Amino acid sequence: MKQIIALGGGGFSMEPENSLLDKYILQQSMKKNPKICFLATASGDSENYISRFYHFFEKQDCQPSHLSLFNPSTRNIESFLLDKDIIYVGGGNTKNLLVLWKEWGLDTILKKAWEQGIILAGISAGSICWFEEGVTDSYGDGLEPLTCLGFLEGSNCPHYDGESDRRPSYQQLITNKKIKPGFATDDGVAIHFIDQEIHTIVSSRPNAKAYKVYDDNDKVIEKELATNFLGLL
């Protein structure tokens, strides 16, 4: 199975006291002690971000590691990543992430990992990157569309309820045909794709939702999608 778990927000970096989404990601490997690797490229391999990753995952039943492109620990990046069960991508500047990944060949390696059944997961930039397009603040002021890896069809907008300009900007971009229709996720929501189709949508917050957003005769349609609160499962 080809799996991607796209988080609109939440996880160890936004909800350090709420482990529901990150534990869900670990459970999908179906292994007792999965190998999970963190890519913090979008944050410039922030030491603080990487430290928070280890602070959480070292307490779980897993084998955490990270790959830095600014200070790589190995020359054989492909072998290093293809040995993992889960690859978890952090948030930050999506544009820079994509540029660096292409330069280092990670776009190709990650596609190979996905096709081999390694679970790809990520928050914010780490969610946007898997789609054909995404809404990003990578350019500074304002939100702009960005061409991404295209593992998943359509576009993606994270932080749909967490940042006041996300919802109106995404809807306007779709209405103006500047970005493809797609999926929006509130903070605390993850869409789990299997073989490019939605398998399930889960949340760490009771009222957080995901939406399918598209245009119908120049009118934006926002369809709420069924979301399962992990606290009740």
Side-chain angles (χ1 to χ4, degrees), residues 49-114:
Y49 203 178
I50 294 170
S51 176
R52 284 184 285 152
F53 167 79
Y54 281 108
H55 180 75
F56 174 80
F57 283 98
E58 284 179 342
K59 298 176 183 178
Q60 311 305 313
D61 293 326
C62 65
Q63 302 175 57
S65 62
H66 76 281
L67 175 66
S68 169
L69 295 183
F70 291 86
N71 185 25
S73 57
T74 176
R75 286 181 176 269
N76 197 335
I77 291 175
E78 180 169 337
S79 294
F80 180 80
L81 288 177
L82 295 184
D83 181 55
K84 310 308 177 189
D85 301 301
I86 303 168
I87 297 172
Y88 193 129
V89 180
N93 190 302
T94 317
K95 175 70 172 177
N96 289 346
L97 173 148
L98 292 167
V99 170
L100 284 168
W101 280 3
K102 184 175 182 179
E103 180 66 26
W104 284 81
L106 257 71
D107 51 347
T108 302
I109 294 170
L110 289 170
K111 186 173 185 180
K112 185 179 293 186
W114 176 56

